[in-house]
Amino acid sequence: QVQLVESGGGLVQAGDSLRLSCAASRRPLTTNPMGWFRQAPGKEREFVAAISSSGQIVDYADSVKGRFTISRDNGKNTVYLQMNGLKPEDTAVYYCASDPTGGYNAPAYYRYWGQGTQVTVAS
């Protein structure tokens, strides 16, 4: 029903910015809450940010507040994660996810996942 494809990852230097995109293909054509998660080697997948269907409500992990911004363009069926002031500890595979049920800040709530995009921040 939903296919998600992340893009925009890459290798950057500490302090740089990067914008991730998640293109959604959904049938029927509707919008749903979505989230961004990340997973570093040897660590559990962790919550980064979430956004409501309309884009009017957002939430962030404490570790990225003030640096990352989640947004969406429903006309383009795309959700974004603008990452500013990147730090080496932000290095991870970043995943977008959709259609949460019962919550939004843990992986188990989400029904659909993208393949992930690698973000590497060098010091």
Side-chain angles (χ1 to χ4, degrees), residues 19-69:
R19 188 177 76 161
L20 306 183
S21 299
C22 176
S25 177
R26 182 185 295 273
R27 291 290 184 272
L29 187 60
T30 59
T31 60
N32 282 75
M34 298 186 68
W36 284 98
F37 290 78
R38 66 187 183 187
Q39 187 166 23
K43 296 184 178 180
E44 296 182 4
R45 191 168 298 187
E46 68 174 354
F47 171 73
V48 175
I51 188 167
S52 64
S53 299
S54 68
Q56 297 183 81
I57 304 173
V58 297
D59 195 24
Y60 301 93
D62 288 342
S63 59
V64 306
K65 284 182 179 177
R67 298 189 298 123
F68 291 11
T69 302

mmCIF file of all heavy atoms in Angstrom, residues 19-69:
data_model
loop_
_atom_site.group_PDB
_atom_site.id
_atom_site.type_symbol
_atom_site.label_atom_id
_atom_site.label_comp_id
_atom_site.label_asym_id
_atom_site.label_seq_id
_atom_site.Cartn_x
_atom_site.Cartn_y
_atom_site.Cartn_z
ATOM 1 N N ARG A 19 19.997 17.855 3.577
ATOM 2 C CA ARG A 19 18.558 17.665 3.568
ATOM 3 C C ARG A 19 18.211 16.297 3.013
ATOM 4 O O ARG A 19 18.546 15.980 1.871
ATOM 5 C CB ARG A 19 17.843 18.736 2.748
ATOM 6 C CG ARG A 19 16.311 18.654 2.890
ATOM 7 C CD ARG A 19 15.578 19.747 2.158
ATOM 8 N NE ARG A 19 15.550 19.513 0.717
ATOM 9 C CZ ARG A 19 14.692 20.099 -0.111
ATOM 10 N NH1 ARG A 19 13.794 20.964 0.357
ATOM 11 N NH2 ARG A 19 14.749 19.847 -1.408
ATOM 12 N N LEU A 20 17.535 15.509 3.820
ATOM 13 C CA LEU A 20 17.066 14.206 3.402
ATOM 14 C C LEU A 20 15.641 14.314 2.871
ATOM 15 O O LEU A 20 14.852 15.126 3.352
ATOM 16 C CB LEU A 20 17.097 13.215 4.562
ATOM 17 C CG LEU A 20 18.429 13.058 5.306
ATOM 18 C CD1 LEU A 20 18.301 11.982 6.372
ATOM 19 C CD2 LEU A 20 19.555 12.728 4.340
ATOM 20 N N SER A 21 15.328 13.490 1.903
ATOM 21 C CA SER A 21 13.992 13.444 1.343
ATOM 22 C C SER A 21 13.451 12.027 1.426
ATOM 23 O O SER A 21 14.204 11.062 1.340
ATOM 24 C CB SER A 21 13.992 13.893 -0.126
ATOM 25 O OG SER A 21 14.439 15.221 -0.256
ATOM 26 N N CYS A 22 12.154 11.925 1.575
ATOM 27 C CA CYS A 22 11.481 10.635 1.575
ATOM 28 C C CYS A 22 10.274 10.746 0.667
ATOM 29 O O CYS A 22 9.308 11.443 1.000
ATOM 30 C CB CYS A 22 11.069 10.228 2.985
ATOM 31 S SG CYS A 22 10.134 8.688 3.065
ATOM 32 N N ALA A 23 10.343 10.087 -0.464
ATOM 33 C CA ALA A 23 9.247 10.105 -1.422
ATOM 34 C C ALA A 23 8.316 8.936 -1.142
ATOM 35 O O ALA A 23 8.766 7.795 -1.024
ATOM 36 C CB ALA A 23 9.780 10.027 -2.845
ATOM 37 N N ALA A 24 7.039 9.229 -1.048
ATOM 38 C CA ALA A 24 6.045 8.220 -0.721
ATOM 39 C C ALA A 24 5.147 7.936 -1.907
ATOM 40 O O ALA A 24 4.712 8.846 -2.610
ATOM 41 C CB ALA A 24 5.199 8.661 0.468
ATOM 42 N N SER A 25 4.881 6.668 -2.110
ATOM 43 C CA SER A 25 3.904 6.225 -3.090
ATOM 44 C C SER A 25 2.815 5.500 -2.322
ATOM 45 O O SER A 25 3.075 4.460 -1.714
ATOM 46 C CB SER A 25 4.549 5.304 -4.129
ATOM 47 O OG SER A 25 3.589 4.826 -5.042
ATOM 48 N N ARG A 26 1.635 6.048 -2.343
ATOM 49 C CA ARG A 26 0.560 5.539 -1.515
ATOM 50 C C ARG A 26 -0.714 5.299 -2.320
ATOM 51 O O ARG A 26 -1.117 6.130 -3.125
ATOM 52 C CB ARG A 26 0.264 6.526 -0.377
ATOM 53 C CG ARG A 26 -0.826 6.077 0.589
ATOM 54 C CD ARG A 26 -1.127 7.163 1.611
ATOM 55 N NE ARG A 26 0.006 7.433 2.478
ATOM 56 C CZ ARG A 26 0.270 6.780 3.610
ATOM 57 N NH1 ARG A 26 -0.537 5.800 4.010
ATOM 58 N NH2 ARG A 26 1.328 7.106 4.327
ATOM 59 N N ARG A 27 -1.339 4.172 -2.102
ATOM 60 C CA ARG A 27 -2.632 3.833 -2.660
ATOM 61 C C ARG A 27 -3.532 3.300 -1.567
ATOM 62 O O ARG A 27 -3.188 2.302 -0.928
ATOM 63 C CB ARG A 27 -2.490 2.814 -3.783
ATOM 64 C CG ARG A 27 -1.832 3.358 -5.032
ATOM 65 C CD ARG A 27 -2.769 4.347 -5.741
ATOM 66 N NE ARG A 27 -2.198 4.815 -6.985
ATOM 67 C CZ ARG A 27 -1.393 5.857 -7.102
ATOM 68 N NH1 ARG A 27 -1.072 6.563 -6.038
ATOM 69 N NH2 ARG A 27 -0.925 6.204 -8.298
ATOM 70 N N PRO A 28 -4.661 3.911 -1.338
ATOM 71 C CA PRO A 28 -5.192 5.109 -1.998
ATOM 72 C C PRO A 28 -4.363 6.350 -1.690
ATOM 73 O O PRO A 28 -3.536 6.342 -0.774
ATOM 74 C CB PRO A 28 -6.614 5.223 -1.440
ATOM 75 C CG PRO A 28 -6.521 4.592 -0.097
ATOM 76 C CD PRO A 28 -5.572 3.442 -0.273
ATOM 77 N N LEU A 29 -4.580 7.398 -2.448
ATOM 78 C CA LEU A 29 -3.801 8.616 -2.320
ATOM 79 C C LEU A 29 -4.265 9.415 -1.106
ATOM 80 O O LEU A 29 -5.222 10.195 -1.185
ATOM 81 C CB LEU A 29 -3.910 9.448 -3.593
ATOM 82 C CG LEU A 29 -3.014 10.678 -3.684
ATOM 83 C CD1 LEU A 29 -1.553 10.280 -3.584
ATOM 84 C CD2 LEU A 29 -3.293 11.422 -4.991
ATOM 85 N N THR A 30 -3.584 9.220 0.021
ATOM 86 C CA THR A 30 -3.881 9.917 1.263
ATOM 87 C C THR A 30 -2.583 10.302 1.943
ATOM 88 O O THR A 30 -1.496 9.894 1.522
ATOM 89 C CB THR A 30 -4.706 9.047 2.228
ATOM 90 O OG1 THR A 30 -3.974 7.855 2.535
ATOM 91 C CG2 THR A 30 -6.050 8.670 1.622
ATOM 92 N N THR A 31 -2.688 11.084 3.014
ATOM 93 C CA THR A 31 -1.522 11.434 3.813
ATOM 94 C C THR A 31 -1.657 10.835 5.207
ATOM 95 O O THR A 31 -2.766 10.657 5.710
ATOM 96 C CB THR A 31 -1.340 12.950 3.927
ATOM 97 O OG1 THR A 31 -2.496 13.525 4.544
ATOM 98 C CG2 THR A 31 -1.154 13.567 2.543
ATOM 99 N N ASN A 32 -0.534 10.534 5.813
ATOM 100 C CA ASN A 32 -0.493 9.957 7.150
ATOM 101 C C ASN A 32 0.691 10.525 7.922
ATOM 102 O O ASN A 32 1.627 11.054 7.319
ATOM 103 C CB ASN A 32 -0.375 8.442 7.076
ATOM 104 C CG ASN A 32 -1.683 7.769 6.753
ATOM 105 O OD1 ASN A 32 -2.152 7.787 5.619
ATOM 106 N ND2 ASN A 32 -2.300 7.161 7.772
ATOM 107 N N PRO A 33 0.654 10.413 9.254
ATOM 108 C CA PRO A 33 1.832 10.830 10.024
ATOM 109 C C PRO A 33 3.066 10.057 9.572
ATOM 110 O O PRO A 33 2.974 8.893 9.171
ATOM 111 C CB PRO A 33 1.452 10.468 11.460
ATOM 112 C CG PRO A 33 -0.046 10.466 11.471
ATOM 113 C CD PRO A 33 -0.440 9.939 10.126
ATOM 114 N N MET A 34 4.216 10.718 9.665
ATOM 115 C CA MET A 34 5.462 10.084 9.264
ATOM 116 C C MET A 34 6.560 10.440 10.250
ATOM 117 O O MET A 34 6.471 11.436 10.964
ATOM 118 C CB MET A 34 5.868 10.502 7.851
ATOM 119 C CG MET A 34 4.861 10.091 6.792
ATOM 120 S SD MET A 34 5.400 10.428 5.108
ATOM 121 C CE MET A 34 6.746 9.254 4.953
ATOM 122 N N GLY A 35 7.590 9.626 10.256
ATOM 123 C CA GLY A 35 8.700 9.861 11.158
ATOM 124 C C GLY A 35 10.038 9.571 10.514
ATOM 125 O O GLY A 35 10.117 8.894 9.483
ATOM 126 N N TRP A 36 11.076 10.122 11.119
ATOM 127 C CA TRP A 36 12.453 9.824 10.760
ATOM 128 C C TRP A 36 13.128 9.129 11.934
ATOM 129 O O TRP A 36 12.975 9.554 13.084
ATOM 130 C CB TRP A 36 13.243 11.082 10.414
ATOM 131 C CG TRP A 36 12.945 11.659 9.070
ATOM 132 C CD1 TRP A 36 12.111 12.697 8.791
ATOM 133 C CD2 TRP A 36 13.508 11.247 7.821
ATOM 134 N NE1 TRP A 36 12.107 12.960 7.440
ATOM 135 C CE2 TRP A 36 12.961 12.079 6.822
ATOM 136 C CE3 TRP A 36 14.423 10.259 7.449
ATOM 137 C CZ2 TRP A 36 13.289 11.957 5.473
ATOM 138 C CZ3 TRP A 36 14.746 10.135 6.107
ATOM 139 C CH2 TRP A 36 14.186 10.968 5.144
ATOM 140 N N PHE A 37 13.870 8.081 11.626
ATOM 141 C CA PHE A 37 14.652 7.354 12.604
ATOM 142 C C PHE A 37 16.073 7.206 12.089
ATOM 143 O O PHE A 37 16.335 7.382 10.901
ATOM 144 C CB PHE A 37 14.052 5.972 12.867
ATOM 145 C CG PHE A 37 12.754 6.011 13.614
ATOM 146 C CD1 PHE A 37 11.573 6.337 12.966
ATOM 147 C CD2 PHE A 37 12.707 5.719 14.967
ATOM 148 C CE1 PHE A 37 10.370 6.382 13.642
ATOM 149 C CE2 PHE A 37 11.507 5.754 15.662
ATOM 150 C CZ PHE A 37 10.348 6.085 15.000
ATOM 151 N N ARG A 38 16.985 6.870 12.974
ATOM 152 C CA ARG A 38 18.357 6.615 12.552
ATOM 153 C C ARG A 38 18.938 5.458 13.344
ATOM 154 O O ARG A 38 18.529 5.184 14.468
ATOM 155 C CB ARG A 38 19.228 7.866 12.708
ATOM 156 C CG ARG A 38 19.434 8.324 14.143
ATOM 157 C CD ARG A 38 20.162 9.653 14.173
ATOM 158 N NE ARG A 38 20.439 10.106 15.529
ATOM 159 C CZ ARG A 38 20.949 11.290 15.815
ATOM 160 N NH1 ARG A 38 21.248 12.151 14.847
ATOM 161 N NH2 ARG A 38 21.172 11.619 17.087
ATOM 162 N N GLN A 39 19.900 4.793 12.732
ATOM 163 C CA GLN A 39 20.546 3.664 13.379
ATOM 164 C C GLN A 39 22.034 3.668 13.054
ATOM 165 O O GLN A 39 22.424 3.565 11.896
ATOM 166 C CB GLN A 39 19.916 2.348 12.937
ATOM 167 C CG GLN A 39 20.421 1.140 13.702
ATOM 168 C CD GLN A 39 19.558 -0.082 13.483
ATOM 169 O OE1 GLN A 39 18.851 -0.194 12.484
ATOM 170 N NE2 GLN A 39 19.596 -1.004 14.432
ATOM 171 N N ALA A 40 22.837 3.809 14.086
ATOM 172 C CA ALA A 40 24.282 3.762 13.952
ATOM 173 C C ALA A 40 24.760 2.332 14.188
ATOM 174 O O ALA A 40 24.072 1.540 14.843
ATOM 175 C CB ALA A 40 24.940 4.705 14.947
ATOM 176 N N PRO A 41 25.940 1.977 13.678
ATOM 177 C CA PRO A 41 26.458 0.624 13.879
ATOM 178 C C PRO A 41 26.522 0.253 15.359
ATOM 179 O O PRO A 41 27.025 1.023 16.181
ATOM 180 C CB PRO A 41 27.858 0.690 13.267
ATOM 181 C CG PRO A 41 27.754 1.754 12.228
ATOM 182 C CD PRO A 41 26.838 2.786 12.834
ATOM 183 N N GLY A 42 25.996 -0.912 15.697
ATOM 184 C CA GLY A 42 26.028 -1.384 17.064
ATOM 185 C C GLY A 42 25.007 -0.762 17.984
ATOM 186 O O GLY A 42 25.001 -1.064 19.184
ATOM 187 N N LYS A 43 24.139 0.103 17.459
ATOM 188 C CA LYS A 43 23.134 0.767 18.276
ATOM 189 C C LYS A 43 21.731 0.437 17.795
ATOM 190 O O LYS A 43 21.535 -0.003 16.669
ATOM 191 C CB LYS A 43 23.335 2.280 18.259
ATOM 192 C CG LYS A 43 24.642 2.753 18.869
ATOM 193 C CD LYS A 43 24.714 4.262 18.909
ATOM 194 C CE LYS A 43 25.988 4.743 19.555
ATOM 195 N NZ LYS A 43 26.054 6.227 19.597
ATOM 196 N N GLU A 44 20.761 0.649 18.670
ATOM 197 C CA GLU A 44 19.372 0.442 18.307
ATOM 198 C C GLU A 44 18.871 1.592 17.448
ATOM 199 O O GLU A 44 19.392 2.704 17.494
ATOM 200 C CB GLU A 44 18.509 0.322 19.564
ATOM 201 C CG GLU A 44 18.834 -0.880 20.428
ATOM 202 C CD GLU A 44 17.927 -0.989 21.633
ATOM 203 O OE1 GLU A 44 16.990 -0.178 21.763
ATOM 204 O OE2 GLU A 44 18.147 -1.897 22.444
ATOM 205 N N ARG A 45 17.848 1.306 16.660
ATOM 206 C CA ARG A 45 17.227 2.350 15.868
ATOM 207 C C ARG A 45 16.529 3.338 16.793
ATOM 208 O O ARG A 45 15.759 2.946 17.671
ATOM 209 C CB ARG A 45 16.227 1.733 14.895
ATOM 210 C CG ARG A 45 15.722 2.693 13.835
ATOM 211 C CD ARG A 45 14.973 1.948 12.729
ATOM 212 N NE ARG A 45 15.833 0.999 12.043
ATOM 213 C CZ ARG A 45 15.474 0.323 10.956
ATOM 214 N NH1 ARG A 45 14.264 0.502 10.425
ATOM 215 N NH2 ARG A 45 16.316 -0.534 10.404
ATOM 216 N N GLU A 46 16.801 4.634 16.605
ATOM 217 C CA GLU A 46 16.273 5.640 17.508
ATOM 218 C C GLU A 46 15.444 6.696 16.787
ATOM 219 O O GLU A 46 15.692 7.042 15.634
ATOM 220 C CB GLU A 46 17.402 6.320 18.293
ATOM 221 C CG GLU A 46 18.327 7.175 17.458
ATOM 222 C CD GLU A 46 19.333 7.945 18.298
ATOM 223 O OE1 GLU A 46 19.246 7.899 19.544
ATOM 224 O OE2 GLU A 46 20.213 8.603 17.710
ATOM 225 N N PHE A 47 14.491 7.225 17.515
ATOM 226 C CA PHE A 47 13.602 8.268 17.017
ATOM 227 C C PHE A 47 14.357 9.559 16.779
ATOM 228 O O PHE A 47 15.188 9.960 17.589
ATOM 229 C CB PHE A 47 12.486 8.494 18.036
ATOM 230 C CG PHE A 47 11.624 9.686 17.755
ATOM 231 C CD1 PHE A 47 10.703 9.672 16.717
ATOM 232 C CD2 PHE A 47 11.716 10.824 18.540
ATOM 233 C CE1 PHE A 47 9.893 10.765 16.465
ATOM 234 C CE2 PHE A 47 10.910 11.921 18.302
ATOM 235 C CZ PHE A 47 9.997 11.887 17.257
ATOM 236 N N VAL A 48 14.044 10.215 15.671
ATOM 237 C CA VAL A 48 14.631 11.509 15.347
ATOM 238 C C VAL A 48 13.569 12.600 15.313
ATOM 239 O O VAL A 48 13.688 13.626 15.981
ATOM 240 C CB VAL A 48 15.382 11.472 14.000
ATOM 241 C CG1 VAL A 48 15.889 12.865 13.632
ATOM 242 C CG2 VAL A 48 16.532 10.484 14.060
ATOM 243 N N ALA A 49 12.514 12.389 14.525
ATOM 244 C CA ALA A 49 11.481 13.401 14.367
ATOM 245 C C ALA A 49 10.223 12.771 13.811
ATOM 246 O O ALA A 49 10.262 11.711 13.185
ATOM 247 C CB ALA A 49 11.955 14.528 13.433
ATOM 248 N N ALA A 50 9.089 13.430 14.024
ATOM 249 C CA ALA A 50 7.817 12.969 13.480
ATOM 250 C C ALA A 50 6.975 14.169 13.081
ATOM 251 O O ALA A 50 7.149 15.276 13.610
ATOM 252 C CB ALA A 50 7.071 12.110 14.494
ATOM 253 N N ILE A 51 6.055 13.943 12.162
ATOM 254 C CA ILE A 51 5.211 15.014 11.664
ATOM 255 C C ILE A 51 3.812 14.478 11.399
ATOM 256 O O ILE A 51 3.634 13.349 10.938
ATOM 257 C CB ILE A 51 5.831 15.638 10.388
ATOM 258 C CG1 ILE A 51 5.074 16.893 9.959
ATOM 259 C CG2 ILE A 51 5.891 14.612 9.262
ATOM 260 C CD1 ILE A 51 5.825 17.711 8.912
ATOM 261 N N SER A 52 2.813 15.292 11.692
ATOM 262 C CA SER A 52 1.430 14.896 11.496
ATOM 263 C C SER A 52 1.062 14.922 10.017
ATOM 264 O O SER A 52 1.813 15.399 9.172
ATOM 265 C CB SER A 52 0.495 15.819 12.280
ATOM 266 O OG SER A 52 0.565 17.149 11.788
ATOM 267 N N SER A 53 -0.111 14.409 9.707
ATOM 268 C CA SER A 53 -0.556 14.327 8.317
ATOM 269 C C SER A 53 -0.572 15.684 7.627
ATOM 270 O O SER A 53 -0.169 15.803 6.464
ATOM 271 C CB SER A 53 -1.952 13.705 8.248
ATOM 272 O OG SER A 53 -1.958 12.393 8.767
ATOM 273 N N SER A 54 -1.022 16.698 8.339
ATOM 274 C CA SER A 54 -1.123 18.045 7.780
ATOM 275 C C SER A 54 0.191 18.807 7.818
ATOM 276 O O SER A 54 0.340 19.815 7.127
ATOM 277 C CB SER A 54 -2.179 18.843 8.525
ATOM 278 O OG SER A 54 -1.765 19.095 9.853
ATOM 279 N N GLY A 55 1.125 18.346 8.640
ATOM 280 C CA GLY A 55 2.376 19.060 8.831
ATOM 281 C C GLY A 55 2.318 20.103 9.927
ATOM 282 O O GLY A 55 3.317 20.784 10.178
ATOM 283 N N GLN A 56 1.190 20.234 10.604
ATOM 284 C CA GLN A 56 1.014 21.268 11.615
ATOM 285 C C GLN A 56 1.583 20.888 12.979
ATOM 286 O O GLN A 56 1.804 21.770 13.808
ATOM 287 C CB GLN A 56 -0.468 21.621 11.768
ATOM 288 C CG GLN A 56 -1.087 22.205 10.514
ATOM 289 C CD GLN A 56 -2.523 22.614 10.724
ATOM 290 O OE1 GLN A 56 -2.796 23.701 11.257
ATOM 291 N NE2 GLN A 56 -3.439 21.757 10.328
ATOM 292 N N ILE A 57 1.813 19.602 13.208
ATOM 293 C CA ILE A 57 2.348 19.148 14.481
ATOM 294 C C ILE A 57 3.634 18.380 14.226
ATOM 295 O O ILE A 57 3.667 17.474 13.396
ATOM 296 C CB ILE A 57 1.350 18.253 15.231
ATOM 297 C CG1 ILE A 57 0.021 18.991 15.426
ATOM 298 C CG2 ILE A 57 1.923 17.815 16.569
ATOM 299 C CD1 ILE A 57 -1.072 18.116 16.016
ATOM 300 N N VAL A 58 4.689 18.757 14.942
ATOM 301 C CA VAL A 58 5.973 18.084 14.806
ATOM 302 C C VAL A 58 6.549 17.801 16.183
ATOM 303 O O VAL A 58 6.179 18.431 17.176
ATOM 304 C CB VAL A 58 6.981 18.919 13.987
ATOM 305 C CG1 VAL A 58 6.484 19.122 12.563
ATOM 306 C CG2 VAL A 58 7.234 20.267 14.657
ATOM 307 N N ASP A 59 7.468 16.845 16.246
ATOM 308 C CA ASP A 59 8.163 16.545 17.479
ATOM 309 C C ASP A 59 9.555 16.042 17.137
ATOM 310 O O ASP A 59 9.768 15.477 16.055
ATOM 311 C CB ASP A 59 7.410 15.503 18.309
ATOM 312 C CG ASP A 59 7.902 15.439 19.745
ATOM 313 O OD1 ASP A 59 8.467 16.433 20.237
ATOM 314 O OD2 ASP A 59 7.711 14.384 20.386
ATOM 315 N N TYR A 60 10.500 16.258 18.069
ATOM 316 C CA TYR A 60 11.889 15.909 17.836
ATOM 317 C C TYR A 60 12.506 15.243 19.047
ATOM 318 O O TYR A 60 12.105 15.496 20.189
ATOM 319 C CB TYR A 60 12.717 17.162 17.532
ATOM 320 C CG TYR A 60 12.261 17.942 16.333
ATOM 321 C CD1 TYR A 60 11.367 18.991 16.470
ATOM 322 C CD2 TYR A 60 12.735 17.627 15.066
ATOM 323 C CE1 TYR A 60 10.945 19.714 15.365
ATOM 324 C CE2 TYR A 60 12.318 18.344 13.957
ATOM 325 C CZ TYR A 60 11.425 19.389 14.112
ATOM 326 O OH TYR A 60 11.014 20.108 13.013
ATOM 327 N N ALA A 61 13.497 14.417 18.785
ATOM 328 C CA ALA A 61 14.322 13.916 19.863
ATOM 329 C C ALA A 61 15.132 15.066 20.442
ATOM 330 O O ALA A 61 15.511 15.999 19.728
ATOM 331 C CB ALA A 61 15.256 12.821 19.353
ATOM 332 N N ASP A 62 15.410 15.002 21.744
ATOM 333 C CA ASP A 62 16.163 16.074 22.383
ATOM 334 C C ASP A 62 17.528 16.285 21.727
ATOM 335 O O ASP A 62 18.026 17.415 21.668
ATOM 336 C CB ASP A 62 16.355 15.774 23.867
ATOM 337 C CG ASP A 62 15.078 15.932 24.666
ATOM 338 O OD1 ASP A 62 14.136 16.584 24.177
ATOM 339 O OD2 ASP A 62 15.023 15.399 25.791
ATOM 340 N N SER A 63 18.114 15.225 21.224
ATOM 341 C CA SER A 63 19.450 15.304 20.659
ATOM 342 C C SER A 63 19.524 16.126 19.376
ATOM 343 O O SER A 63 20.616 16.549 18.981
ATOM 344 C CB SER A 63 19.997 13.896 20.392
ATOM 345 O OG SER A 63 19.160 13.190 19.490
ATOM 346 N N VAL A 64 18.377 16.360 18.722
ATOM 347 C CA VAL A 64 18.393 17.090 17.455
ATOM 348 C C VAL A 64 17.595 18.382 17.495
ATOM 349 O O VAL A 64 17.597 19.130 16.510
ATOM 350 C CB VAL A 64 17.901 16.209 16.289
ATOM 351 C CG1 VAL A 64 18.692 14.916 16.223
ATOM 352 C CG2 VAL A 64 16.406 15.926 16.411
ATOM 353 N N LYS A 65 16.925 18.672 18.599
ATOM 354 C CA LYS A 65 16.144 19.905 18.698
ATOM 355 C C LYS A 65 17.025 21.124 18.474
ATOM 356 O O LYS A 65 18.117 21.221 19.020
ATOM 357 C CB LYS A 65 15.465 19.999 20.062
ATOM 358 C CG LYS A 65 14.257 19.110 20.220
ATOM 359 C CD LYS A 65 13.600 19.294 21.581
ATOM 360 C CE LYS A 65 12.373 18.422 21.713
ATOM 361 N NZ LYS A 65 11.757 18.528 23.049
ATOM 362 N N GLY A 66 16.530 22.046 17.667
ATOM 363 C CA GLY A 66 17.279 23.247 17.356
ATOM 364 C C GLY A 66 18.210 23.094 16.186
ATOM 365 O O GLY A 66 18.736 24.097 15.678
ATOM 366 N N ARG A 67 18.450 21.862 15.746
ATOM 367 C CA ARG A 67 19.339 21.612 14.617
ATOM 368 C C ARG A 67 18.617 21.007 13.414
ATOM 369 O O ARG A 67 18.933 21.330 12.272
ATOM 370 C CB ARG A 67 20.483 20.682 15.027
ATOM 371 C CG ARG A 67 21.378 21.242 16.117
ATOM 372 C CD ARG A 67 22.614 20.371 16.306
ATOM 373 N NE ARG A 67 22.274 19.015 16.736
ATOM 374 C CZ ARG A 67 22.621 17.908 16.085
ATOM 375 N NH1 ARG A 67 23.325 17.992 14.960
ATOM 376 N NH2 ARG A 67 22.286 16.720 16.557
ATOM 377 N N PHE A 68 17.668 20.123 13.671
ATOM 378 C CA PHE A 68 16.951 19.424 12.603
ATOM 379 C C PHE A 68 15.532 19.971 12.478
ATOM 380 O O PHE A 68 14.914 20.363 13.476
ATOM 381 C CB PHE A 68 16.866 17.929 12.887
ATOM 382 C CG PHE A 68 18.169 17.179 12.804
ATOM 383 C CD1 PHE A 68 19.386 17.831 12.703
ATOM 384 C CD2 PHE A 68 18.162 15.788 12.820
ATOM 385 C CE1 PHE A 68 20.583 17.137 12.631
ATOM 386 C CE2 PHE A 68 19.342 15.076 12.745
ATOM 387 C CZ PHE A 68 20.564 15.749 12.652
ATOM 388 N N THR A 69 15.012 19.951 11.260
ATOM 389 C CA THR A 69 13.642 20.369 11.008
ATOM 390 C C THR A 69 12.960 19.373 10.088
ATOM 391 O O THR A 69 13.465 19.087 9.001
ATOM 392 C CB THR A 69 13.585 21.763 10.360
ATOM 393 O OG1 THR A 69 14.232 22.723 11.203
ATOM 394 C CG2 THR A 69 12.132 22.190 10.153
#
